[in-house]
Amino acid sequence: MDPLFLGALVAIITIVVLFSGVSVAIGLLIVSAGFLITFDGLRSLELMPEILFGKLDSFALLSIPMFIIMGSSIASTRAGADLYEALERWLTRVPGGLVISNLGACALFAAMSGSSPATCAAIGKMGIPEMRKRGYPDGVAAGSIAAGGTLGILIPPSVTMIVYGIATETSIGRLFLAGVFPGLLLVSLFMAWSLYSTWRSGNTETLSPRSYTWQERFEILPRVIPFILIILGVLYAMYGGVATPSETAAVGALLCLLIAMIIYKLWHPRLLWQVLRDSTKESVMILFIIAAAGVFSYMLSSLYITQSIAEWIGTLDVNRWVLMIAINIFLLIAGFFLPPVAVILMAAPILLPIITTAGFDPIWFAVVLTINMEIGLISPPVGLNLYVINGIAPDIPLKTILSGSLPFVACMIVAIILLCIFPDIATWLPDYMMGTAR
Amino acid sequence: MASVSSAAESKTGNNQFLRIVAAISTLSGWLSAGMIMLSVLITCQMIFIRFVLNGSTVWQTEMVVYLMITATLIGLPYVQRMRGHVNVDLIPIMCPPRLRYYLSLFTLSLSSAIVVVMLYYGYDYWHIAWSKGWTSDTIWAVRLWIPYSALPIGFSLLLLQLIADLVAVILKIDAPFGLEDK
């Protein structure tokens, strides 16, 4: 059978199987087994456990559970609220300071926790009521937090980037650095929109700043600085060539747990177990999808599907940007239904050869892909962040949250367009810090 | 990922079998969490030896990788019980209750079937490593049947939890896909 036709068949059957409600990892194993039996015979199943095990047999993967522990120990504390307080106290004189400090707190917390829903919950619980109390429109209050939360998967250290790095065998260090400026670009776009729409709503007279004494400003710092230092330390250790991502993540995880225990008094075994339980749940889920996606991509290449698609794209006479737009639309749709990690793992083995054949930089593509996944996080039907916001501010109708988030989706699309025109936004920092690739 | 948080752990009711399986799965969750924590500590110890004492390390890297793999495989039943394995629940949500019930029987049976395949060949793989005395090609030379044993153990525990979930849906103790009618 023609490998291209086979590829289309795999795609359709995978979609049908996944939409039946079976879990993603198991679904990938089912599809792989089905095609291997049909085209390579029953004996080819023998290899499945070996490939599954082999896929997990990598020291780099260890950074995933480590960063997850780091994030969930921070997320389990009041660190989010403290961060928000600190920024609010320091930025109170900046016009529209409240929404700026909310978005800033989202960006910082997102970097520390690496989790979008956790960021939304941690900052939104304090930020949304405060913004509404001070006259910010509901849509802006909800939308800014929903959008700000998505930064977790872009700003380093990001688990999504690690997964992309592992799936495509690109440098995790480079990927992290590539996320920095696009992350800042997104934050600026979000801030600009929030300020503009607040100003347009005409409620500016109620946006009176509260004043804080210098003592109030300084006394909050000791509670937030340790976490920020750890993040900076982790990044320094990775880029100073001191240690690998997994090693730094392990130290970061231990330090964050210790700080949570010491500063936030998280010493009760039940609370500690909660942190460990949540991180175990998330790590196992992601690692199992990674392993299953390994089997899936083995199936694709043993049936020559991956290779044929790449060849086929090479012979196609389409403009590379048309191709890029098509890929982005495909990813956007996938992102509406599936979490970023699952989309990346399934799409990477197929998309990467296409991307590189068409002459795109895989590091740059990681950033575009991640922003694309962020859109999925604040779009229905799955749009996890929308539901988190709905959970913490139940009196804002879901419709207002949705319409409040839409302009932020537009900001993300603007960011993707800017990245297409100026790819240096993503690639300059990794090239500058780590030397030009290739 | 709404499906991750949409429902809490699967229900057991007063059913003895479901309770026992739930207890086993919870225990494996503890083991898995313990192994992940242990690998954090071992990695930190390795860094201490390497960067502070300037010593060399032999077994740590391999050990933490095997711990992580084992934690993943042994953790599978626990995550299944906590409904932590992400799925796309758009169609199940849109289905009328009766169809949803049958769809859930179908997906759980299909999942069990593939897990049986993984269990069968996983056991096979482990058995070869054990009978031929395979070791890893490092200085530490780990007897590979030890880490490989996570394959049959993890998948048999996952199978047990999947069967329990199937039984719970059939006995109407738990809602299909954990989706309660609103």
Side-chain angles (χ1 to χ4, degrees):
Chain A
M1 198 184 287
D2 177 36
L4 278 182
F5 176 73
L6 204 58
L9 200 63
V10 171
I12 294 167
I13 291 185
T14 309
I15 290 171
V16 171
V17 168
L18 289 185
F19 271 80
S20 74
V22 74
S23 66
V24 172
I26 298 257
L28 290 176
L29 290 179
I30 291 172
V31 175
S32 312
F35 276 89
L36 283 174
I37 294 178
T38 317
F39 294 96
D40 275 356
L42 202 61
R43 284 192 66 82
S44 57
L45 292 186
E46 265 177 24
L47 285 173
M48 284 179 66
E50 190 181 338
I51 295 162
L52 184 114
F53 192 96
K55 194 70 200 173
L56 290 175
D57 193 355
S58 130
F59 188 65
L61 274 185
L62 196 68
S63 57
I64 292 176
M66 308 283 139
F67 276 126
I68 290 175
I69 292 182
M70 200 166 135
S72 59
S73 56
I74 295 174
S76 68
T77 63
R78 268 182 45 83
D82 285 344
L83 198 60
Y84 163 82
E85 278 280 332
L87 281 170
E88 150 77 351
R89 288 182 191 185
W90 283 85
L91 294 175
T92 182
R93 296 210 171 273
V94 182
L98 191 59
V99 72
I100 301 254
S101 50
N102 266 292
L103 280 164
C106 278
L108 277 173
F109 193 79
M112 301 195 307
S113 72
S115 155
S116 290
T119 306
C120 275
I123 306 296
K125 253 180 231 156
M126 300 277 293
I128 295 177
E130 190 66 24
M131 280 195 272
R132 295 172 78 196
K133 203 165 77 195
R134 295 215 228 146
Y136 287 83
D138 286 358
V140 172
S144 60
I145 299 289
T150 64
L151 295 165
I153 59 173
L154 182 63
I155 297 180
S158 139
V159 171
T160 311
M161 287 289 193
I162 299 176
V163 170
Y164 179 92
I166 286 162
T168 62
E169 291 175 7
T170 33
S171 147
I172 295 168
R174 259 177 204 284
L175 289 169
F176 277 3
L177 284 175
V180 173
F181 281 119
L184 294 178
L185 171 72
L186 271 180
V187 180
S188 326
L189 286 172
F190 291 167
M191 285 177 177
W193 168 258
S194 309
L195 288 180
Y196 169 74
S197 65
T198 309
W199 168 78
R200 204 186 47 176
S201 73
N203 275 346
T204 34
E205 72 280 2
T206 56
L207 308 178
S208 54
R210 250 168 76 188
S211 53
Y212 293 96
T213 62
W214 283 103
Q215 195 206 341
E216 281 173 312
R217 286 180 186 173
F218 278 106
E219 73 187 3
I220 193 152
L221 290 184
R223 274 185 294 173
V224 288
I225 285 182
F227 286 122
I228 296 178
L229 283 182
I230 290 180
I231 299 296
L232 291 178
V234 162
L235 295 178
Y236 167 76
M238 277 176 58
Y239 299 115
V242 180
T244 64
S246 298
E247 290 166 349
T248 32
V251 178
L254 190 65
L255 287 179
C256 281
L257 261 180
L258 288 178
I259 289 183
M261 286 164 78
I262 295 164
I263 299 186
Y264 291 96
K265 310 200 165 40
L266 185 92
W267 44 262
H268 195 285
R270 192 152 39 90
L271 297 175
L272 273 178
W273 165 239
Q274 252 170 32
V275 172
L276 265 182
R277 181 193 65 190
D278 290 348
S279 9
T280 304
K281 209 171 102 178
E282 203 179 330
S283 312
V284 170
M285 182 267 287
I286 294 180
L287 290 170
F288 189 35
I289 298 180
I290 291 179
V295 176
F296 186 71
S297 94
Y298 163 79
M299 179 272 291
L300 288 179
S301 71
S302 95
L303 301 181
Y304 291 104
I305 295 172
T306 325
Q307 300 88 324
S308 316
I309 292 179
E311 266 172 39
W312 174 63
I313 296 287
T315 60
L316 268 188
D317 196 22
V318 287
N319 182 293
R320 60 201 279 260
W321 291 104
V322 175
L323 190 69
M324 186 44 73
I325 291 171
I327 289 175
N328 269 295
I329 292 173
F330 162 75
L331 289 171
L332 193 61
I333 295 172
F336 286 162
F337 300 105
L338 285 167
V341 173
V343 176
I344 291 173
L345 285 166
M346 282 191 292
I350 304 175
L351 288 184
L352 196 74
I354 302 181
I355 300 293
T356 43
T357 317
F360 290 103
D361 179 355
I363 302 276
W364 168 85
F365 180 66
V367 175
V368 172
L369 174 104
T370 307
I371 299 180
N372 204 321
M373 295 294 106
E374 291 185 346
I375 295 178
L377 284 173
I378 58 170
S379 314
V382 174
L384 189 51
N385 286 13
L386 300 174
Y387 299 103
V388 174
I389 302 282
N390 194 23
I392 55 179
D395 55 322
I396 305 182
L398 197 58
K399 222 177 93 196
T400 312
I401 302 178
L402 258 172
S403 59
S405 308
L406 278 180
F408 292 95
V409 171
C411 291
M412 293 178 186
I413 294 173
V414 169
I416 293 184
I417 295 172
L418 284 174
L419 273 163
C420 291
I421 305 173
F422 309 107
D424 283 352
I425 303 174
T427 53
W428 178 79
L429 190 62
D431 283 350
Y432 175 75
M433 299 269 292
M434 302 175 73
T436 318
R438 286 175 301 275
Chain B
M1 236 193 302
S3 42
V4 179
S5 47
S6 65
E9 55 193 47
S10 37
K11 296 198 181 85
T12 54
N14 279 323
N15 188 300
Q16 203 61 31
F17 168 69
L18 295 183
R19 285 186 165 188
I20 292 173
V21 176
I24 296 174
S25 294
T26 307
L27 182 67
S28 49
W30 285 355
L31 280 173
S32 171
M35 283 186 257
I36 290 180
M37 203 51 225
L38 191 59
S39 59
V40 170
L41 296 176
I42 293 177
T43 312
C44 291
Q45 183 258 9
M46 169 174 85
I47 292 166
F48 185 76
I49 291 185
R50 238 185 241 168
F51 295 104
V52 181
L53 305 181
N54 268 324
S56 58
T57 51
V58 178
W59 52 272
Q60 284 89 340
T61 311
E62 223 180 340
M63 177 79 173
V64 289
V65 172
Y66 288 142
L67 272 174
M68 176 194 67
I69 301 175
T70 312
T72 305
L73 292 165
I74 302 288
L76 291 178
Y78 177 68
V79 180
Q80 175 65 27
R81 174 167 149 66
M82 303 299 285
R83 295 188 203 287
H85 292 298
V86 257
N87 66 341
V88 185
D89 54 5
L90 185 71
I91 304 286
I93 287 174
M94 289 187 336
C95 279
R98 202 156 175 77
L99 194 60
R100 188 193 293 164
Y101 171 77
Y102 287 113
L103 187 62
S104 139
L105 296 190
F106 174 72
T107 54
L108 281 171
S109 317
L110 199 61
S111 304
S112 308
I114 189 71
V115 171
V116 168
V117 170
M118 296 303 289
L119 172 58
Y120 178 81
Y121 289 107
Y123 171 80
D124 214 35
Y125 191 48
W126 168 82
H127 190 257
I128 297 171
W130 181 71
S131 58
K132 296 196 173 166
W134 283 354
T135 54
S136 64
D137 47 7
T138 55
I139 319 167
W140 199 32
V142 179
R143 277 162 297 170
L144 283 173
W145 66 266
I146 302 173
Y148 287 174
S149 61
L151 282 166
I153 297 175
F155 281 112
S156 48
L157 293 174
L158 176 59
L159 182 62
L160 201 58
Q161 181 62 49
L162 281 167
I163 292 171
D165 285 354
L166 189 63
V167 169
V169 171
I170 293 172
L171 296 180
K172 311 261 194 277
I173 291 172
D174 204 358
F177 296 100
L179 296 165
E180 303 289 351
D181 289 315
K182 279 172 195 152

